[in-house]
Short mmCIF file of all heavy atoms in Angstrom, two decimals:
data_model
loop_
_atom_site.label_atom_id
_atom_site.label_comp_id
_atom_site.label_asym_id
_atom_site.label_seq_id
_atom_site.Cartn_x
_atom_site.Cartn_y
_atom_site.Cartn_z
N LYS A 1 2.78 -7.25 18.01
CA LYS A 1 3.43 -8.46 18.42
C LYS A 1 2.47 -9.60 18.59
O LYS A 1 2.84 -10.71 18.69
CB LYS A 1 4.27 -8.24 19.64
CG LYS A 1 5.05 -6.96 19.68
CD LYS A 1 6.00 -6.80 18.54
CE LYS A 1 6.46 -5.33 18.31
NZ LYS A 1 7.09 -4.73 19.38
N PHE A 2 1.17 -9.27 18.78
CA PHE A 2 0.20 -10.25 19.14
C PHE A 2 -0.55 -10.71 17.85
O PHE A 2 -1.43 -11.55 17.93
CB PHE A 2 -0.82 -9.78 20.18
CG PHE A 2 -0.17 -9.39 21.49
CD1 PHE A 2 0.14 -8.07 21.75
CD2 PHE A 2 0.22 -10.37 22.35
CE1 PHE A 2 0.74 -7.75 22.96
CE2 PHE A 2 0.82 -10.03 23.54
CZ PHE A 2 1.16 -8.73 23.85
N ASP A 3 -0.19 -10.20 16.74
CA ASP A 3 -0.74 -10.59 15.43
C ASP A 3 0.34 -11.26 14.65
O ASP A 3 1.24 -10.51 14.09
CB ASP A 3 -1.30 -9.34 14.70
CG ASP A 3 -2.06 -9.73 13.46
OD1 ASP A 3 -1.82 -10.79 12.89
OD2 ASP A 3 -2.91 -8.91 13.05
N ASP A 4 0.39 -12.62 14.50
CA ASP A 4 1.46 -13.30 13.90
C ASP A 4 1.68 -12.94 12.44
O ASP A 4 2.81 -13.05 11.90
CB ASP A 4 1.22 -14.85 13.97
CG ASP A 4 1.29 -15.37 15.40
OD1 ASP A 4 1.89 -14.63 16.19
OD2 ASP A 4 0.74 -16.45 15.68
N SER A 5 0.68 -12.44 11.77
CA SER A 5 0.81 -12.08 10.38
C SER A 5 1.62 -10.82 10.19
O SER A 5 2.15 -10.50 9.09
CB SER A 5 -0.53 -11.95 9.67
OG SER A 5 -1.27 -10.93 10.29
N VAL A 6 1.68 -10.01 11.22
CA VAL A 6 2.45 -8.70 11.15
C VAL A 6 3.89 -8.89 11.46
O VAL A 6 4.77 -8.46 10.73
CB VAL A 6 1.78 -7.71 12.13
CG1 VAL A 6 2.59 -6.39 12.10
CG2 VAL A 6 0.40 -7.36 11.76
N TYR A 7 4.23 -9.56 12.58
CA TYR A 7 5.64 -9.80 12.96
C TYR A 7 5.77 -11.30 13.13
O TYR A 7 5.24 -11.88 14.05
CB TYR A 7 5.97 -9.11 14.25
CG TYR A 7 6.06 -7.61 14.14
CD1 TYR A 7 5.20 -6.76 14.86
CD2 TYR A 7 7.01 -7.02 13.38
CE1 TYR A 7 5.30 -5.45 14.75
CE2 TYR A 7 7.10 -5.63 13.24
CZ TYR A 7 6.27 -4.82 13.93
OH TYR A 7 6.33 -3.49 13.84
N LYS A 8 6.61 -11.95 12.25
CA LYS A 8 6.87 -13.39 12.39
C LYS A 8 7.68 -13.64 13.66
O LYS A 8 7.42 -14.51 14.42
CB LYS A 8 7.62 -13.86 11.16
CG LYS A 8 7.84 -15.41 11.19
CD LYS A 8 8.61 -15.84 9.99
CE LYS A 8 8.90 -17.32 10.08
NZ LYS A 8 9.83 -17.83 9.01
N THR A 9 8.68 -12.82 13.90
CA THR A 9 9.42 -12.84 15.18
C THR A 9 9.57 -11.48 15.69
O THR A 9 9.53 -10.49 14.98
CB THR A 9 10.84 -13.44 14.97
OG1 THR A 9 11.56 -12.60 14.10
CG2 THR A 9 10.80 -14.83 14.37
N SER A 10 9.64 -11.40 17.00
CA SER A 10 9.70 -10.08 17.68
C SER A 10 10.56 -10.14 18.91
O SER A 10 10.51 -11.13 19.68
CB SER A 10 8.26 -9.66 18.07
OG SER A 10 8.34 -8.60 18.96
N GLY A 11 11.38 -9.07 19.13
CA GLY A 11 12.14 -9.01 20.33
C GLY A 11 11.37 -8.35 21.45
O GLY A 11 11.42 -8.75 22.57
N GLY A 12 10.51 -7.34 21.12
CA GLY A 12 9.67 -6.70 22.04
C GLY A 12 8.45 -7.57 22.30
O GLY A 12 7.32 -7.21 22.06
N LEU A 13 8.67 -8.77 22.91
CA LEU A 13 7.70 -9.78 22.99
C LEU A 13 6.37 -9.37 23.64
O LEU A 13 5.30 -9.56 23.19
CB LEU A 13 8.24 -11.05 23.69
CG LEU A 13 7.16 -12.02 24.16
CD1 LEU A 13 6.68 -12.84 22.97
CD2 LEU A 13 7.67 -12.91 25.27
N HIS A 14 6.51 -8.82 24.78
CA HIS A 14 5.35 -8.68 25.71
C HIS A 14 4.45 -7.53 25.27
O HIS A 14 3.41 -7.33 25.90
CB HIS A 14 5.82 -8.42 27.15
CG HIS A 14 6.50 -9.64 27.75
ND1 HIS A 14 7.77 -9.95 27.37
CD2 HIS A 14 6.07 -10.62 28.58
CE1 HIS A 14 8.14 -11.07 28.06
NE2 HIS A 14 7.12 -11.45 28.81
N GLY A 15 4.86 -6.72 24.25
CA GLY A 15 3.94 -5.66 23.87
C GLY A 15 3.82 -4.54 24.89
O GLY A 15 2.86 -3.79 24.88
N VAL A 16 4.73 -4.46 25.86
CA VAL A 16 4.57 -3.43 26.88
C VAL A 16 5.60 -2.30 26.69
O VAL A 16 5.56 -1.34 27.37
CB VAL A 16 4.76 -4.05 28.29
CG1 VAL A 16 3.72 -5.16 28.53
CG2 VAL A 16 6.14 -4.55 28.53
N GLY A 17 6.55 -2.51 25.75
CA GLY A 17 7.64 -1.57 25.64
C GLY A 17 7.23 -0.09 25.59
O GLY A 17 7.57 0.72 26.39
N SER A 18 6.45 0.20 24.60
CA SER A 18 6.07 1.62 24.33
C SER A 18 5.28 2.16 25.43
O SER A 18 5.54 3.33 25.89
CB SER A 18 5.30 1.74 23.00
OG SER A 18 6.02 1.23 21.91
N SER A 19 4.26 1.43 25.95
CA SER A 19 3.44 1.98 26.99
C SER A 19 4.21 2.19 28.36
O SER A 19 3.94 3.09 29.14
CB SER A 19 2.22 1.10 27.18
OG SER A 19 2.59 -0.28 27.42
N VAL A 20 5.12 1.20 28.63
CA VAL A 20 5.89 1.28 29.88
C VAL A 20 6.84 2.48 29.81
O VAL A 20 6.94 3.21 30.76
CB VAL A 20 6.66 0.02 30.10
CG1 VAL A 20 7.72 0.12 31.15
CG2 VAL A 20 5.68 -1.11 30.55
N VAL A 21 7.51 2.70 28.62
CA VAL A 21 8.38 3.81 28.54
C VAL A 21 7.57 5.12 28.72
O VAL A 21 8.03 6.03 29.43
CB VAL A 21 9.14 3.84 27.14
CG1 VAL A 21 9.94 5.09 26.98
CG2 VAL A 21 10.04 2.62 27.08
N ASN A 22 6.40 5.16 28.16
CA ASN A 22 5.52 6.34 28.28
C ASN A 22 5.17 6.51 29.75
O ASN A 22 5.26 7.66 30.24
CB ASN A 22 4.25 6.10 27.41
CG ASN A 22 3.36 7.33 27.38
OD1 ASN A 22 3.87 8.43 27.60
ND2 ASN A 22 2.17 7.11 27.06
N ALA A 23 4.78 5.49 30.40
CA ALA A 23 4.37 5.60 31.86
C ALA A 23 5.42 6.11 32.73
O ALA A 23 5.20 6.76 33.74
CB ALA A 23 3.81 4.25 32.31
N LEU A 24 6.71 5.80 32.40
CA LEU A 24 7.84 6.07 33.26
C LEU A 24 8.64 7.29 32.84
O LEU A 24 9.75 7.59 33.27
CB LEU A 24 8.81 4.86 33.37
CG LEU A 24 8.12 3.60 33.92
CD1 LEU A 24 9.13 2.46 33.91
CD2 LEU A 24 7.56 3.79 35.29
N SER A 25 8.03 8.07 31.90
CA SER A 25 8.71 9.29 31.37
C SER A 25 7.96 10.57 31.83
O SER A 25 6.78 10.60 31.98
CB SER A 25 8.75 9.26 29.80
OG SER A 25 9.52 8.20 29.40
N ALA A 26 8.75 11.58 32.14
CA ALA A 26 8.18 12.87 32.43
C ALA A 26 7.36 13.40 31.30
O ALA A 26 6.26 13.95 31.45
CB ALA A 26 9.25 13.93 32.88
N TYR A 27 7.97 13.20 30.08
CA TYR A 27 7.17 13.43 28.84
C TYR A 27 7.63 12.45 27.76
O TYR A 27 8.77 11.92 27.76
CB TYR A 27 7.28 14.92 28.34
CG TYR A 27 8.58 15.19 27.77
CD1 TYR A 27 8.94 14.82 26.47
CD2 TYR A 27 9.57 15.96 28.46
CE1 TYR A 27 10.13 15.15 25.91
CE2 TYR A 27 10.76 16.28 27.95
CZ TYR A 27 11.09 15.88 26.63
OH TYR A 27 12.30 16.22 26.09
N LEU A 28 6.77 12.20 26.80
CA LEU A 28 7.15 11.43 25.67
C LEU A 28 6.45 12.04 24.43
O LEU A 28 5.26 12.25 24.42
CB LEU A 28 6.69 9.98 25.80
CG LEU A 28 7.10 8.97 24.70
CD1 LEU A 28 7.52 7.60 25.26
CD2 LEU A 28 5.97 8.76 23.69
N ASP A 29 7.27 12.27 23.42
CA ASP A 29 6.75 12.99 22.22
C ASP A 29 6.91 12.00 21.02
O ASP A 29 7.97 11.46 20.83
CB ASP A 29 7.65 14.24 22.00
CG ASP A 29 6.95 15.22 21.05
OD1 ASP A 29 7.18 15.09 19.81
OD2 ASP A 29 6.24 16.08 21.51
N VAL A 30 5.91 11.90 20.24
CA VAL A 30 5.91 10.95 19.10
C VAL A 30 5.61 11.66 17.81
O VAL A 30 4.69 12.46 17.75
CB VAL A 30 4.82 9.86 19.29
CG1 VAL A 30 4.96 8.74 18.18
CG2 VAL A 30 4.86 9.23 20.68
N GLN A 31 6.44 11.40 16.80
CA GLN A 31 6.11 11.82 15.39
C GLN A 31 6.16 10.64 14.48
O GLN A 31 7.10 9.84 14.55
CB GLN A 31 7.12 12.91 14.95
CG GLN A 31 7.02 14.24 15.63
CD GLN A 31 7.84 15.33 14.94
OE1 GLN A 31 8.13 15.23 13.83
NE2 GLN A 31 8.13 16.34 15.74
N VAL A 32 5.09 10.44 13.72
CA VAL A 32 4.95 9.31 12.82
C VAL A 32 4.83 9.84 11.40
O VAL A 32 3.91 10.63 11.09
CB VAL A 32 3.73 8.46 13.13
CG1 VAL A 32 3.61 7.30 12.18
CG2 VAL A 32 3.81 7.96 14.57
N ALA A 33 5.79 9.44 10.55
CA ALA A 33 5.73 9.71 9.11
C ALA A 33 5.16 8.53 8.37
O ALA A 33 5.71 7.45 8.41
CB ALA A 33 7.14 10.05 8.60
N ARG A 34 3.94 8.78 7.73
CA ARG A 34 3.23 7.65 7.15
C ARG A 34 2.17 8.23 6.14
O ARG A 34 1.57 9.27 6.41
CB ARG A 34 2.53 6.84 8.24
CG ARG A 34 1.94 5.53 7.80
CD ARG A 34 1.35 4.76 9.02
NE ARG A 34 0.58 3.73 8.54
CZ ARG A 34 0.82 2.42 8.69
NH1 ARG A 34 1.96 2.08 9.41
NH2 ARG A 34 0.04 1.42 8.25
N ASP A 35 2.04 7.58 5.06
CA ASP A 35 1.05 7.94 4.06
C ASP A 35 1.21 9.43 3.57
O ASP A 35 0.24 10.13 3.39
CB ASP A 35 -0.42 7.77 4.65
CG ASP A 35 -0.61 6.33 5.18
OD1 ASP A 35 -0.08 5.42 4.52
OD2 ASP A 35 -1.29 6.20 6.22
N GLY A 36 2.45 9.91 3.53
CA GLY A 36 2.73 11.22 3.06
C GLY A 36 2.55 12.32 4.09
O GLY A 36 2.82 13.49 3.78
N GLN A 37 2.15 11.98 5.32
CA GLN A 37 1.87 12.96 6.36
C GLN A 37 2.76 12.72 7.60
O GLN A 37 3.26 11.60 7.73
CB GLN A 37 0.40 12.84 6.88
CG GLN A 37 -0.60 12.71 5.72
CD GLN A 37 -1.29 14.02 5.39
OE1 GLN A 37 -0.55 15.05 5.34
NE2 GLN A 37 -2.54 14.06 5.24
#
């Protein structure tokens, strides 16, 4: 969100969404599908 060339507009403005959810969760599990992996 802090790099204008990546997101022209953004709802998650402050860039804290993912880290705050992580900090306030008993656990957080992430799976990323990218580049065939």
Side-chain angles (χ1 to χ4, degrees):
K1 317 301 160 60
F2 298 101
D3 186 336
D4 292 342
S5 63
V6 176
Y7 289 117
K8 186 181 176 188
T9 62
S10 164
L13 164 79
H14 294 76
V16 302
S18 301
S19 53
V20 166
V21 175
N22 187 22
L24 302 179
S25 296
Y27 73 79
L28 183 141
D29 199 273
V30 187
Q31 290 192 23
V32 178
R34 190 178 168 114
D35 307 323
Q37 314 264 43

